[in-house]
Amino acid sequence: MITETIPQIVYEKLKSSRTIGVFTGAGMSAESNIPTFRGNEGLWKKFKPEELANFDAFMRNPELVWEWYSARKKIIHGSKPNPGHFALAELEQLIDEVIIITQNIDNLHRRAGSTTVYELHGNIERNYCIKCGEHYSDDVILSGSLPPICTKCNGLVRPDVVWFGEYLPQDEFSASENAARMSDVFFSLGTSGIVYPAASIPHIAKYAGAFIVEINPETTPLSEIADITILGKSGIILPEIINELKSIKNEGT
Ligand code: BJW
Ligand code: ZN
């Protein structure tokens, strides 16, 4: 079902849920003013993410790739979690287990207070040398010249994120698969659902019998497996859902 309002069945399913899985993408942070990858807005629309987020592009032109990351690091450092992130953190007070599986690298779920967060595509606040593996903080990286060079071995330093053609962190991916299998309700929020293997996670939840709720202003390939697609912004719809669920749970006590 595709709808612009929140159907009652969403509350019925949530009320009886023990474990909720939440899969998030760039749209989750759009209301924190962090540009998405494939929207129409934004400073970097002359490049496709595939053209910058890959190792060959980095080796060919590390200055350009670092220009992109340093601009995004600055946006992310200056951003705050939005009401959608806070609503998910608050959901932990209402449901036994809430597991966030995010493709985002911006750390906003943890900053909002969510406690179980699996990061499938890394974290932009970390950096490491491609030659010796030495880690560098953003304070060091952003105060020097770009591209940053390792002080231990002269290797190039890169952000600790997952680029196209690279494997996802195996532990976090396996934990996400397990969470998807255990979920009673599974949310897909603010993702175009086209980048694999991350986009297989909602399919695993569906196959295991979860009730799938998608929130996105537009339909996506994941709408086909969603039980409900709510057309709207996660920063508006999620607080509505959590507030209503709170009053339903309070009535029942
Ligand atoms: C709102 C909203 C609001 C707006 N509220 N919603 C052919 C077929 C299938 C697969 C492949 C293929 N060719 C290659 C592949 C594999 C490839 C892939 O999937 N490519 C596809 C694009 C075709 N995948 C990989 O390479 C992955 N690795 C891999 O496969 O390893 C195995 C392997 C290893 C070695 C050799 C061969 C294979 C790695 C993928 C890594 C992706 N990395 C990035 C960059 C991360 C670092 C960084 O941030 O810089 O991850 S790319 C980018 O896309 C980023 C995102 O996490 C990811 C997903 O994007 P997301 O989050 O969905 O954002 P958008 O912008 O697409 O969508 C935003 C959505 O929000 C929209 O729907 C809006 O409507 C909505 N929205 N406002 C709610 N307010
Ligand atoms: Zn090094």
Side-chain angles (χ1 to χ4, degrees):
M1 179 207 268
I2 298 174
T3 164
E4 289 182 2
T5 55
I6 305 161
Q8 206 51 37
I9 188 166
V10 172
Y11 299 113
E12 279 156 28
K13 294 286 180 185
L14 286 172
K15 235 172 35 180
S16 57
S17 288
R18 211 192 80 74
T19 301
I20 292 186
V22 184
F23 179 65
T24 67
M28 180 79 216
S29 300
E31 289 152 285
S32 297
N33 296 321
I34 301 175
T36 60
F37 291 93
R38 298 172 183 83
N40 290 319
E41 79 295 346
L43 208 55
W44 288 94
K45 290 306 159 197
K46 56 186 170 168
F47 295 105
K48 287 186 180 161
E50 290 83 341
E51 286 166 0
L52 293 173
N54 82 73
F55 190 76
D56 290 345
F58 179 66
M59 293 312 279
R60 254 194 325 268
N61 195 344
E63 290 82 4
L64 174 68
V65 173
W66 262 108
E67 205 187 323
W68 188 47
Y69 278 100
S70 101
R72 291 174 59 213
K73 277 173 188 280
K74 285 174 189 158
I75 292 173
I76 289 169
H77 285 182
S79 69
K80 294 194 182 82
N82 67 52
H85 295 104
F86 287 118
L88 290 176
E90 204 181 341
L91 190 57
E92 293 186 18
Q93 311 306 316
L94 305 171
I95 303 284
D96 287 353
E97 195 167 29
V98 179
I99 301 166
I100 312 281
I101 301 159
T102 189
Q103 299 167 89
N104 298 343
I105 42 85
D106 57 28
N107 224 9
L108 290 184
H109 286 297
R110 284 210 188 86
R111 282 175 58 195
S114 285
T115 52
T116 307
V117 182
Y118 301 135
E119 292 173 323
L120 295 181
H121 290 161
N123 189 309
I124 200 170
E125 291 176 9
R126 300 189 302 252
N127 311 278
Y128 67 93
C129 167
I130 60 170
K131 222 160 134 193
C132 74
E134 180 74 8
H135 285 263
Y136 287 88
S137 75
D138 269 355
D139 289 346
V140 172
I141 296 294
L142 294 175
S143 60
S145 58
L146 296 176
I149 303 295
C150 178
T151 50
K152 294 237 153 62
C153 77
N154 279 337
L156 271 170
V157 176
R158 63 168 282 180
D160 191 358
V161 296
V162 180
W163 285 333
F164 285 104
E166 295 183 331
Y167 289 104
L168 276 58
Q170 191 53 51
D171 289 355
E172 312 235 0
F173 191 73
S174 301
S176 303
E177 287 180 310
N178 286 339
R181 285 190 201 104
M182 279 161 34
S183 295
D184 302 305
V185 171
F186 190 90
F187 284 100
S188 175
L189 308 174
T191 178
S192 55
I194 59 167
V195 174
Y196 281 82
S200 65
I201 299 290
H203 291 269
I204 293 170
K206 176 77 179 178
Y207 187 71
F211 184 80
I212 312 283
V213 180
E214 178 181 45
I215 303 176
N216 195 311
E218 292 169 18
T219 57
T220 72
L222 295 175
S223 309
E224 284 180 31
I225 60 158
D227 293 282
I228 306 282
T229 293
I230 304 171
L231 295 174
K233 296 182 173 185
S234 48
I236 292 175
I237 306 291
L238 283 171
E240 265 178 56
I241 294 179
I242 276 54
N243 285 337
E244 180 63 18
L245 185 64
K246 247 196 294 189
S247 46
I248 293 171
K249 289 226 169 189
N250 284 342
E251 276 163 26
T253 56

